[in-house]
């Protein structure tokens, strides 16, 4: 090809290239215009989430137990920072955090990184004093518990993004959290968010979370915790539970849990990071234990309801032991001839088992389940278990005697409290509950919760008979230290041996000690 031909070939190829470019531009601007415009708009826009204010948790008299307050969070703009190392050192002294971690966050070309979320006001003020365009503050809400450790395992706590993680905060998270809002922002050439004004401004305001009113009474809760702490200190126990309920309604007025032993600070939901999960777990519903003698009144109620025994019937307990199948069960203290009322008052294993053998395992099992054992109570707390109760068809020959005195059965403290409420209120099992009302802030009608009967367990006559027997426990029997000044009371003591993990048998040194009762005895309120 001569020179002229080569020049023409070059011009032809160049012209063809320009033609293709023109055709592509025409295609993009005519046929793809709508799609590309929308894509460009999306690249320039960003939806910013507006966090709602979490609802407040109150006690039954309107006292605040959990509130949300506006605090500052610290963020940085790494793309604008020239010396992240030097800035990280300054920030670490203010935030009291690892400077290497801060430096890693500030290095790079991102337009936004969180440095420290929901900091104390004093730290936020010092960050402001830096007067840096690259380190800024953004307002967020933070959960505070003004009563500190009061009812900590009951109320629970929230995570950094205000989601409920434990306790009431977790069970009612959806209602407390509210609904997120949003605002449509634009990005400038440097990637910074700009909020345009005018009629085209698009947004949706967040909906505040609902408030919750508990059945808990702050004063009763404080007394329960104070008394439980005193009991732990005097007995040097590893932990304990104290529950106060209204027997006629099932309202939980106080629920105190100590799972960290004598001398350890009670769980404070303001600082959950300083505690182990075992220390915030609500063992009133998550843990089962063998109840021991506090289980005997349910045998008494069943036997009286079935009319297989009379309260004044006499039993010879002088031997202090009884053979049940291949096992010999003894009394803690030798007793002579006792009425059935005194069998309960003196907590005689022998007398209790004699009545249980007369009642029979199938009828006894029917009443145990009717009192709510072996299934969840339905209380509005997370992690509740059913306890341990084998079907009577699986009982061994000794089981009738063991179960009658509170062995071979695992109960939760909440199950036990609810069952005693049935003994106290005339024979009706009530579902325990923690929340009395949900208050809506969006104009909708809130919800109120009231007593929920589960079913009648025994007659009012039987309930009254057991009541009188349990009064004798407090007046003349093993529970005399539980008698309150100025009031009548009824109740039952229990001392159950714990299982020795090494031998698999009952320990001779480790016990679960319990008392369950109600007052005033004639018309129980607690």
């Amino acid at each position: 090809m001569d020179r002229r031909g080569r020049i023409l070939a070059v011009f032809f190829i160049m012209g063809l290239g320009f033609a293709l470019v023109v055709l592509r531009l025409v295609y993009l601007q005519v046929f793809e215009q709508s799609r590309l415009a929308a894509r460009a708009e999306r690249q320039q826009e960003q939806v910013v989430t507006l966090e709602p204010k979490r609802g407040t948790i109150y006690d039954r008299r309107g006292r605040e137990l959990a509130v949300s307050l506006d605090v500052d969070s610290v963020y940085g703009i790494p793309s604008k920072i020239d010396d992240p190392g030097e800035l990280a050192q300054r920030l670490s002294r203010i935030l009291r955090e690892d400077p290497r971690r801060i430096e890693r966050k500030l290095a790079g070309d991102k337009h936004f990184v969180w440095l420290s979320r929901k900091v104390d006001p004093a730290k936020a003020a010092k960050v402001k004093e830096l007067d840096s365009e690259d380190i800024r503050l953004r307002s967020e809400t933070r959960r505070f518990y003004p009563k500190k450790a009061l009812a900590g395992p009951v109320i629970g706590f929230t995570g950094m993004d205000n989601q409920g993680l434990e306790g009431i905060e977790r069970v009612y998270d959806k209602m407390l959290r509210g609904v997120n809002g949003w605002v449509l922002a634009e990005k400038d050439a440097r990637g910074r968010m700009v909020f345009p004004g005018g009629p085209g401004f698009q947004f949706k305001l967040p909906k505040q979370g609902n408030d919750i009113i508990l059945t808990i009474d702050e004063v009763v809760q404080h007394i329960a915790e104070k008394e439980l702490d005193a009991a732990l200190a005097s007995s040097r126990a590893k932990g304990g539970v104290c529950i106060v309920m209204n027997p006629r309604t099932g309202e939980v007025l106080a629920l105190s849990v100590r799972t960290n032993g004598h001398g350890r600070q009670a769980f404070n939901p303001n600082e959950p990071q300083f505690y182990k999960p075992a220390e915030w777990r609500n063992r009133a519903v998550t843990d089962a234990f063998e109840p021991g003698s506090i289980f005997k009144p349910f045998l008494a109620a069943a036997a009286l309801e079935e009319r297989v025994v009379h309260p004044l019937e006499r039993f010879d307990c002088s031997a202090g032991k009884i053979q049940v199948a291949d096992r010999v069960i003894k009394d803690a203290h030798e007793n002579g001839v006792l009425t059935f009322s005194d069998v309960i008052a003196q907590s005689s294993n022998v007398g209790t088992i004699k009545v249980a053998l007369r009642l029979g395992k199938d009828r006894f099992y029917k009443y145990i389940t009717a009192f709510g054992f072996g299934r969840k109570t339905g209380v509005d707390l997370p992690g509740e278990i059913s306890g341990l109760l084998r079907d009577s068809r699986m009982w061994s020959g000794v089981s009738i005697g063991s179960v009658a005195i509170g062995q071979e059965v695992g109960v939760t403290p909440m199950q036990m409290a609810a069952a005693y409420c049935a003994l106290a209120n005339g024979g009706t099992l009530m579902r325990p509950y923690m929340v009395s009302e949900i208050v809506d802030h969006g104009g909708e009608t809130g919800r109120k919760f009231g007593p929920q009967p589960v079913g009648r367990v025994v007659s009012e006559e039987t309930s009254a008979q057991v009541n009188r027997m349990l009064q004798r426990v407090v007046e003349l029997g093993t529970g005399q230290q539980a008698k309150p000044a100025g009031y009548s009371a009824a109740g039952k003591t229990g001392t159950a041996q714990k299982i020795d993990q090494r031998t698999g048998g009952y320990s001779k040194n480790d016990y679960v000690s319990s008392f369950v009762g109600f007052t005033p005895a004639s018309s129980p309120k607690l």
Side-chain angles (χ1 to χ4, degrees):
M1 183 182 294
D2 58 13
R3 182 179 179 186
R4 182 176 178 180
R6 287 195 297 271
I7 293 174
L8 289 174
V10 170
F11 276 110
F12 175 77
I13 292 171
M14 293 177 62
L16 181 62
F18 280 118
L20 290 173
V21 171
V22 171
L23 289 173
R24 179 62 177 169
L25 290 173
V26 171
Y27 173 78
L28 291 176
Q29 294 186 11
V30 176
F31 298 100
E32 291 286 298
Q33 188 270 340
S34 299
R35 185 181 69 83
L36 293 176
R39 181 177 176 183
E41 189 174 348
R42 286 196 303 270
Q43 290 176 340
Q44 294 174 354
E45 293 177 342
Q46 180 173 341
V47 176
V48 179
T49 299
L50 302 178
E51 186 181 77
K53 185 177 181 181
R54 193 172 178 86
T56 301
I57 298 177
Y58 299 94
D59 86 330
R60 66 187 298 112
R61 301 190 185 279
R63 291 168 287 214
E64 295 177 337
L65 299 178
V67 298
S68 291
L69 302 176
D70 290 333
V71 295
D72 287 317
S73 291
V74 184
Y75 71 93
I77 308 174
S79 59
K80 298 178 60 179
I81 297 174
D82 297 326
D83 188 352
E86 188 273 335
L87 190 54
Q89 289 292 336
R90 296 169 64 191
L91 282 171
S92 70
R93 289 191 289 270
I94 296 173
L95 303 176
R96 296 180 182 177
E97 296 184 12
D98 184 359
R100 292 170 296 182
R101 186 190 68 84
I102 298 176
E103 184 176 356
R104 285 195 299 268
K105 287 189 173 186
L106 294 179
D109 57 358
K110 292 183 178 180
H111 299 298
F112 181 96
V113 291
W114 285 120
L115 298 176
S116 188
R117 303 280 299 278
K118 304 179 181 181
V119 299
D120 295 332
K123 292 181 181 179
K126 291 181 179 179
V127 171
K128 287 181 181 179
E129 291 175 2
L130 290 176
D131 196 24
S132 171
E133 287 292 321
D134 310 329
I135 304 298
R136 302 180 184 180
L137 298 173
R138 179 173 174 180
S139 179
E140 293 189 286
T141 60
R142 177 179 171 182
R143 203 64 162 166
F144 287 96
Y145 303 92
K147 310 301 180 181
K148 298 182 179 179
L150 187 82
V154 175
I155 299 170
F157 58 92
T158 63
M160 188 59 70
D161 294 315
N162 278 334
Q163 74 279 22
L165 298 180
E166 279 295 334
I168 293 294
E169 295 275 30
R170 176 177 173 181
V171 175
Y172 291 91
D173 179 59
K174 185 176 180 181
M175 298 174 183
L176 285 164
R177 186 185 295 192
V179 180
N180 288 340
W182 55 268
V183 60
L184 192 63
E186 295 180 357
K187 293 181 181 179
D188 64 11
R190 301 188 63 179
R192 296 174 298 188
M193 286 185 291
V194 179
F195 296 94
F201 185 41
Q202 301 181 54
F203 68 94
K204 180 181 179 181
L205 293 176
K207 179 185 176 184
Q208 179 178 338
N210 298 330
D211 294 339
I212 282 182
I213 301 175
L214 301 182
T215 59
I216 292 286
D217 186 297
E218 179 189 317
V219 175
V220 180
Q221 179 72 29
H222 172 73
I223 295 171
E225 295 192 359
K226 179 181 176 182
E227 294 300 326
L228 181 58
D229 287 338
L232 292 180
S234 64
S235 63
R236 303 194 66 81
K238 292 182 178 179
V241 174
C242 179
I243 301 176
V244 183
M245 291 177 63
N246 182 331
R248 299 196 176 277
T249 64
E251 295 170 284
V252 179
L253 304 179
L255 198 168
S256 175
V257 179
R258 294 291 188 263
T259 59
N260 38 35
H262 172 55
R264 178 81 163 95
Q265 185 180 7
F267 170 66
N268 184 344
N270 288 299
E271 302 173 324
Q273 68 274 20
F274 297 131
Y275 297 85
K276 300 175 182 178
E279 294 176 314
W280 69 58
R281 188 170 80 242
N282 192 337
R283 295 194 179 187
V285 295
T286 65
D287 289 25
F289 68 101
E290 281 193 331
S293 294
I294 58 174
F295 204 70
K296 292 175 181 177
F298 305 114
L299 178 278
L304 291 168
E305 184 75 6
E306 293 293 323
R307 301 187 184 281
V308 301
V309 69
H310 188 277
L312 298 181
E313 184 175 350
R314 299 168 73 82
F315 292 87
D316 185 1
C317 306
S318 58
K321 58 184 178 181
I322 186 172
Q323 177 96 26
V324 184
D326 60 349
R327 180 181 169 196
V328 176
I329 300 177
K330 300 179 180 180
D331 273 339
H333 307 285
E334 287 191 14
N335 297 293
V337 177
L338 300 174
T339 65
F340 185 50
S341 291
D342 286 332
V343 164
I344 299 300
Q346 301 302 326
S347 200
S348 169
N349 292 337
V350 173
T352 301
I353 293 171
K354 284 186 175 183
V355 175
L357 291 169
R358 188 184 296 180
L359 177 65
K361 66 177 185 178
D362 293 331
R363 284 191 291 184
F364 187 22
Y365 177 79
K366 180 184 75 172
Y367 283 92
I368 294 173
T369 56
F371 273 108
F373 298 108
R375 67 175 186 270
K376 297 178 182 180
T377 67
V379 66
D380 39 348
L381 288 170
E384 184 181 21
I385 64 172
S386 301
L388 301 169
L389 177 64
R390 291 181 299 155
D391 190 288
S392 60
R393 291 171 294 184
M394 300 175 63
W395 287 11
S396 68
V398 75
S399 293
I400 183 68
S402 297
V403 175
I405 61 174
Q407 297 177 350
E408 288 192 29
V409 58
V411 306
T412 66
M414 186 61 71
Q415 285 176 328
M416 186 59 67
Y420 265 79
C421 283
L423 293 176
N425 67 21
T428 300
L429 183 67
M430 305 297 295
R431 185 184 75 84
Y433 64 105
M434 303 291 306
V435 171
S436 63
E437 187 175 356
I438 298 174
V439 181
D440 186 274
H441 287 282
E444 299 179 10
T445 303
R447 295 177 61 189
K448 291 188 177 183
F449 303 92
Q452 294 186 34
V454 178
R456 176 163 289 281
V457 186
V458 294
S459 65
E460 291 190 11
E461 178 186 359
T462 296
S463 173
Q465 288 178 317
V466 175
N467 186 317
R468 289 191 290 270
M469 295 170 72
L470 295 180
Q471 286 185 60
R472 289 182 65 82
V473 175
V474 175
E475 293 169 358
L476 303 171
T478 58
Q480 294 181 51
Q481 293 186 60
K483 187 176 181 180
Y487 292 92
S488 61
K492 185 72 184 77
T493 57
T495 305
Q497 293 169 287
K498 296 176 71 173
I499 299 295
D500 189 322
Q501 300 297 328
R502 295 170 299 175
T503 66
Y506 285 106
S507 171
K508 295 181 180 180
N509 303 310
D510 298 328
Y511 297 88
V512 176
S513 298
S514 311
F515 177 82
V516 193
F518 42 88
T519 189
S522 57
S523 180
K525 298 294 189 296
L526 300 176

